[in-house]
Amino acid sequence: MAGMWQCQVVTSASTAGAVRQGSLRELNLAVVLRRIAAADRPPSRAGLAAGTGLTRATVSAVVDDLIAGRLVAEAEPPPRTGAGRPARGLVLAADGPAGLGLEVNVDYLAACVVDLTGTVRHHLVRRADLRPVSPADALARLAALAAEARAAAVRDGLTLAGAALAVPGLVGDGGLVRLAPNLGWRDVDVPALLAGQPLAEPVDGVPPLVVDNEANLAALGELYAGPAGPRSFLHVTGEIGIGAGIVLDGALYRGARGWSGEIGHFPVQPQGRPCRCGGRGCLERYAGQEAILAAAGLPGAELPADTAATRLADLAEAGDAATLAALADAGTALGVAVAGVVNLLDLDTVVLGGGYAPLSPWLRPPVAAEVSRRVLTAAWSPVTVRPAVLGAQSAAVGGATSVVRRIVDRPVGWLARGS
């Protein structure tokens, strides 16, 4: 593989040698670390050499660099079964860099720390109605929660290598939230409002804070959580608003301006209920959290401190007729919108995430029924509808995981930080 690397053409032979050497090292670091990250069992140095085509000397030097940079650790050797000493396997280090995932949503704030192995080390949630709160106040509260998560990470000996913030809206260049209708935000410069907050360290030229749509980060969380799962799917998150992350061939599809996935504003009844976005009959007016609560006779203000999804699930489990009817109607509306996306993009998997995950036993059947009825190819190529692996944590976990995945994909940036 190293021999296939195409180096940049430069005029100076000595400079060309330096570029080639640096490029090869960068490539070799990435190849070896990705191989360790994807392995079902800890590979040895000899196994890595055989699997990558690199020489044993090159693999040994690369592994030494990765261990010194706290990206890789040696696993305990397996029990001896014959003559000779068993080789020590290599695993991702659990005590090196970590990612910080943050989320600001309509009725809660969240902060999550994920280490390089993908393990969630800390997950903090604070519930509050943020609609009457200014963006500056909401982000100040988020910064306080992030400080708690950062302190917990430091106590674990972890270094936060970046932060990703999920917001329920359209995010433009530089982290500018163009529109988050359910929060009442328009043209909010999130990085500027969080400037000076020690969220994480800049690594590899990436700003310490990246802002993205919550459905996009939730979809990435699902992709990273299931390496053996589908490489193309629609991930739908349901809170007060509804968003979708689209993954095609293992990559997040963002659209021409980065605003894909606004499924909550698909019109399922064109002359229906007015929506906050200015349209009528939008999906979230029929399948959003507040719409389901209202249909079940449960105004949000009367709910106890637990989540609306948990309350709805408890009532549905108990057989409450109004709740069951509300979930069936919401699932039907959701299925109509989802079927349109599946027809357009030829997807074979739909994932119900966020607040929809705990409600999937009741939402999945009507969603699947509408998809089966409306998707042209469903008769001979069924579409799978299932709950998200990460459930309601998917956006914050996906954000944190996107940080550490960036290091796995390009470890040289992290290693250069300490040089």
Side-chain angles (χ1 to χ4, degrees):
M1 181 176 294
M4 297 170 61
W5 183 253
Q6 297 296 317
C7 296
Q8 180 180 0
V9 177
V10 290
T11 56
S12 166
S14 60
T15 305
V19 171
R20 185 177 298 111
Q21 197 71 18
S23 299
L24 287 174
R25 177 176 181 270
E26 178 178 335
L27 176 64
N28 292 339
L29 286 166
V31 166
V32 171
L33 188 59
R34 290 173 195 161
R35 182 65 64 119
I36 293 171
D40 293 330
R41 61 184 64 183
S44 66
R45 287 170 171 80
L48 287 169
T52 62
L54 300 174
T55 67
R56 290 198 179 194
T58 297
V59 168
S60 181
V62 167
V63 168
D64 287 345
D65 284 348
L66 294 173
I67 290 175
R70 295 189 301 149
L71 297 179
V72 166
E74 291 185 313
E76 288 299 319
R80 180 182 298 181
T81 57
R85 185 174 60 185
R88 296 177 71 92
L90 299 162
V91 296
L92 295 177
D95 60 352
L100 175 63
L102 303 171
E103 183 179 5
V104 54
N105 219 306
V106 177
D107 56 353
Y108 67 90
L109 300 167
C112 174
V113 176
V114 172
D115 67 27
L116 195 63
T117 71
T119 301
V120 177
R121 303 289 287 266
H122 303 281
H123 189 256
L124 311 175
V125 178
R126 296 289 182 271
R127 301 201 173 277
D129 186 354
L130 298 173
R131 283 169 290 191
V133 174
S134 71
D137 190 5
L139 292 171
R141 297 185 193 185
L142 181 68
L145 188 64
E148 291 184 41
R150 181 184 177 89
V154 170
R155 288 194 297 271
D156 288 349
L158 299 170
T159 301
L160 294 181
L165 168 59
V167 296
L170 304 178
V171 181
D173 295 338
L176 180 68
V177 178
R178 288 294 188 183
L179 180 65
N182 291 319
L183 281 170
W185 290 13
R186 184 182 293 273
D187 292 332
V188 175
D189 190 344
V190 172
L193 290 174
L194 288 173
Q197 298 291 339
L199 299 176
E201 298 184 17
V203 173
D204 198 17
V206 178
L209 175 66
V210 174
V211 185
D212 204 343
N213 174 266
E214 55 92 17
N216 284 343
L217 292 179
L220 287 177
E222 186 72 13
L223 176 66
Y224 299 146
R231 300 284 290 170
S232 297
F233 58 88
L234 177 71
H235 185 285
V236 186
T237 59
E239 314 289 355
I240 290 175
I242 303 172
I246 302 167
V247 175
L248 300 176
D249 295 328
L252 184 68
Y253 175 74
R254 295 181 175 276
R257 293 166 294 177
W259 299 342
S260 68
E262 287 300 314
I263 194 174
H265 299 286
F266 270 34
V268 292
Q269 294 192 20
Q271 304 305 318
R273 302 167 189 165
C275 180
R276 294 181 184 90
C277 72
R280 300 186 72 88
C282 293
L283 175 63
E284 73 174 41
R285 305 304 296 153
Y286 298 88
Q289 177 179 290
E290 288 184 335
I292 299 175
L293 291 172
L298 294 168
E302 297 180 9
L303 284 177
D306 59 353
T307 67
T310 300
R311 178 65 170 150
L312 288 166
D314 289 344
L315 288 168
E317 187 71 36
D320 181 75
T323 301
L324 291 172
L327 290 171
D329 289 345
T332 297
L334 183 58
V336 171
V338 163
V341 179
V342 171
N343 271 327
L344 181 67
L345 299 177
D346 186 25
L347 301 171
D348 61 6
T349 303
V350 176
V351 179
L352 302 178
Y356 285 154
L359 298 174
S360 62
W362 303 277
L363 290 175
R364 195 197 68 78
V367 170
E370 289 299 316
V371 169
S372 179
R373 185 164 71 91
R374 295 172 181 273
V375 172
L376 300 176
T377 60
W380 62 85
S381 181
V383 177
T384 299
V385 181
R386 63 167 176 80
V389 173
L390 296 176
Q393 302 181 20
S394 53
V397 174
T401 307
S402 70
V403 173
V404 293
R405 288 293 305 190
R406 201 161 60 224
I407 294 174
V408 171
D409 288 339
R410 192 171 184 273
V412 70
W414 169 261
L415 297 177
R417 162 189 165 274
S419 61

